[in-house]
Amino acid sequence: MTHPSKTKGNTYERELVNAAKEAGLESKRAYASDGRSLGLHETVDLLIQDKKIQAKRRKSIAAFMQPTEHVDAVAIRQDRGSTLIVVTLEEYLNLIKRDEDGIR
């Protein structure tokens, strides 16, 4: 029997793939959440267009990492690390679509 956390992760990956498809983007999930089934690194869970995505779902994430309705994105970085940008899924899919359409 599949562990509940594995089921939760699989459901989330399908949710992301379906949202991308509904936005008109090509998307597919790696079999068994293993990117090697797509010829990629094992940590890749899904593809949206040519973007490799690793999906992580948690019961809660830190409030400071969540964009509010007043901002478009949150920039975060650990000391001596790379900056990461947190955006909503909707915003991310729109960015991919604009890039694919050549809109700047």
Side-chain angles (χ1 to χ4, degrees):
M1 180 169 236
T2 304
H3 194 278
S5 63
K6 179 67 175 159
T7 300
K8 181 177 162 180
N10 290 344
T11 300
Y12 183 51
E13 291 167 9
R14 284 189 208 92
E15 177 185 323
L16 295 172
V17 166
N18 290 335
K21 287 181 178 179
E22 287 174 16
L25 299 168
E26 184 180 325
S27 184
K28 60 183 162 183
R29 184 176 166 266
Y31 175 78
S33 304
D34 188 336
R36 292 176 291 191
S37 68
L38 299 172
L40 302 167
H41 190 271
E42 64 189 46
T43 59
V44 176
D45 294 324
L46 58 118
L47 289 172
I48 298 176
Q49 297 293 88
D50 61 343
K51 309 297 183 200
K52 299 176 281 276
I53 309 290
Q54 183 180 40
K56 296 291 183 188
R57 181 175 163 186
R58 298 290 182 261
K59 183 175 181 177
S60 64
I61 58 173
F64 72 87
M65 292 176 60
Q66 300 180 42
T68 68
E69 69 271 7
H70 307 291
V71 300
D72 297 316
V74 175
I76 57 175
R77 182 183 71 139
Q78 67 182 9
D79 291 348
R80 295 177 295 283
S82 298
T83 296
L84 307 173
I85 302 295
V86 180
V87 296
T88 64
L89 176 61
E90 180 181 44
E91 180 65 20
Y92 182 70
L93 296 177
N94 285 332
L95 289 169
I96 293 173
K97 285 175 73 170
R98 280 187 238 144
D99 184 50
E100 293 290 319
D101 293 339
I103 300 171
R104 301 283 179 224

